[in-house]
């Protein structure tokens, strides 16, 4: 019987080299020869040839009759998995006191899509980033909300008044600031709901907070106690990062219940 763990360990061994990882991602862009790759990496032909041979023996790359190396299907697929390891490695300290909460496994398996994200720490930085996402929105603003900082309500509503659609999922146990209802009344928020510019739903809990427009997105994961934490977040305008956040928002949106204002406590 084949020991799959041993086979996987051997594959990790082949990838446990900075240069071999560089090679496979360079080959993901285009095929190459040893001498050309050596020049791009600032290395010797001998060292690159040795690593090409190891990758070829491992089934990651193949050489054609003209001497060009390219990725195999296996090699290309491995490249799609590496970003998950990169994201977790880069943010190991963050995940010492945060986890993925109630995110379905299918989203954790795609976590590499967040590897281009910039880590922001500090409530003033995270709220400014949210406001920037609101300001830059033209088509829509989507978010899952665990709390509603009072100072982000007005810039959000002002953007919606310009025609940007706003959809959000609010936690039943959301932290609601005093003065919210008064401010929403002053900003004529109910009229935006009546006009169809605002749609809202409610979830039992919101652990993972996402805020996005049509071009950029942010996500904040809960602490290890399962409580949402908006003092730190990841932000990017990278398309893959955005796709992950958008898909997760849609998952939450279609899995949420009808909004009930009566459940909100200021």
């Amino acid at each position: 019987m084949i020991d799959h763990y041993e086979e996987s360990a051997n594959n990790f061994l082949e990838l446990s080299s900075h240069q071999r990882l560089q090679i496979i991602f360079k080959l993901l862009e285009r095929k190459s020869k040893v001498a050309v790759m050596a020049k791009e990496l600032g290395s010797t032909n001998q060292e690159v040839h040795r690593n090409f041979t190891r990758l070829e023996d491992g089934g990651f790359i193949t050489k054609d009759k003209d001497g060009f190396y390219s990725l195999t299907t296996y090699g290309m697929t491995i490249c799609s998995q590496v970003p998950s390891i990169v994201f977790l490695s880069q943010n190991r300290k963050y995940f010492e006191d945060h986890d993925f909460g109630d995110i379905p496994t299918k989203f954790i398996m795609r976590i590499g899509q967040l590897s281009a994200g910039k880590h922001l720490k500090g409530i003033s930085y995270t709220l400014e980033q949210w406001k920037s996402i609101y300001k830059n929105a033209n088509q829509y603003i989507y978010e899952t909300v665990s709390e509603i900082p009072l100072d982000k309500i007005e810039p959000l509503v002002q953007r919606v008044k310009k025609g940007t659609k706003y959809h959000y999922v609010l936690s039943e146990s959301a932290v609601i600031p005093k003065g919210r209802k008064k401010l929403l009344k002053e900003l004529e928020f109910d009229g935006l709901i009546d006009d169809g510019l605002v749609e809202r739903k409610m979830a039992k809990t919101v652990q993972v907070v996402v805020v996005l427009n049509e071009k950029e997105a942010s996500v904040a994961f809960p602490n290890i106690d399962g409580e949402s934490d908006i003092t730190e977040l990841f932000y990017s305008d990278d398309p893959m990062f955005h796709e992950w956040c958008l898909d997760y928002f849609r998952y939450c949106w279609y899995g949420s219940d009808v909004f009930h204002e009566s459940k909100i406590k200021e």
Side-chain angles (χ1 to χ4, degrees), residues 15 61 142 155 170 250:
L15 294 174
I61 67 176
Y142 296 159
L170 182 68
R250 286 170 172 164

Side-chain angles (χ1 to χ4, degrees), residues 38-252:
K39 185 175 181 180
E40 286 188 25
L41 300 181
S43 184
T44 64
N45 287 359
Q46 292 82 356
E47 185 179 6
V48 170
H49 182 269
R50 177 175 58 81
N51 283 320
F52 266 50
T53 299
R54 288 191 63 166
L55 290 170
E56 187 176 18
D57 291 344
F60 297 94
I61 67 176
T62 185
K63 183 171 70 171
D64 64 21
K65 59 182 177 61
D66 297 317
F68 282 94
Y69 287 86
S70 60
L71 291 175
T72 60
T73 300
Y74 174 63
M76 285 189 287
T77 307
I78 287 293
C79 283
S80 71
Q81 305 305 310
V82 170
S84 292
I85 300 173
V86 171
F87 175 74
L88 294 171
S89 298
Q90 288 177 334
N91 300 289
R92 184 179 300 177
K93 188 170 181 60
Y94 173 83
F95 285 107
E96 287 178 1
D97 50 18
H98 293 80
D99 64 24
F100 295 115
D102 54 4
I103 292 180
T105 302
K106 63 182 179 180
F107 285 101
I108 298 176
M109 292 175 69
R110 293 170 51 191
I111 207 67
Q113 288 185 249
L114 303 181
S115 61
K118 178 181 179 182
H119 179 211
L120 300 178
K121 186 174 183 178
I123 190 66
S124 60
Y125 292 108
T126 59
L127 291 183
E128 282 305 310
Q129 189 61 69
W130 280 8
K131 291 176 185 178
S132 178
I133 291 174
Y134 298 158
K135 181 181 178 181
N136 296 335
N138 289 311
Q139 299 175 23
Y140 64 77
I141 298 168
Y142 296 159
E143 59 183 12
T144 58
V145 188
S146 60
E147 53 186 286
I148 304 177
L150 199 63
D151 64 346
K152 83 179 185 70
I153 293 177
E154 187 167 357
L156 170 62
V157 173
Q158 293 303 332
R159 199 66 203 171
V160 176
K161 284 184 175 180
K162 293 182 178 180
T164 301
K165 291 189 176 181
Y166 175 44
H167 293 182
Y168 69 98
V169 178
L170 182 68
S171 169
E172 287 184 14
S173 57
V175 178
I176 306 297
K178 291 183 179 180
R180 167 186 167 272
K181 288 185 179 179
K182 180 181 177 182
L183 180 57
L184 290 180
K185 186 175 181 180
E186 291 174 356
L187 295 172
E188 301 177 326
F189 192 71
D190 286 346
L192 299 175
I193 296 174
D194 294 339
D195 291 340
L197 287 171
V198 175
E199 292 187 37
R200 49 191 183 165
K201 287 193 174 185
M202 185 164 274
K204 204 72 177 176
T205 60
V206 170
Q207 294 185 332
V208 179
V209 176
V210 292
V211 180
L212 63 151
N213 60 30
E214 67 275 6
K215 298 172 291 187
E216 51 192 328
S218 67
V219 57
F221 295 105
N223 60 33
I224 54 177
D225 295 320
E227 300 167 339
S228 65
D229 177 14
I230 63 169
T231 65
E232 298 184 55
L233 59 76
F234 297 95
Y235 161 84
S236 182
D237 59 2
D238 174 75
M240 296 296 285
F241 186 105
H242 184 274
E243 180 183 71
W244 190 97
C245 293
L246 179 58
D247 288 349
Y248 182 72
F249 171 80
R250 286 170 172 164
Y251 164 81
C252 295

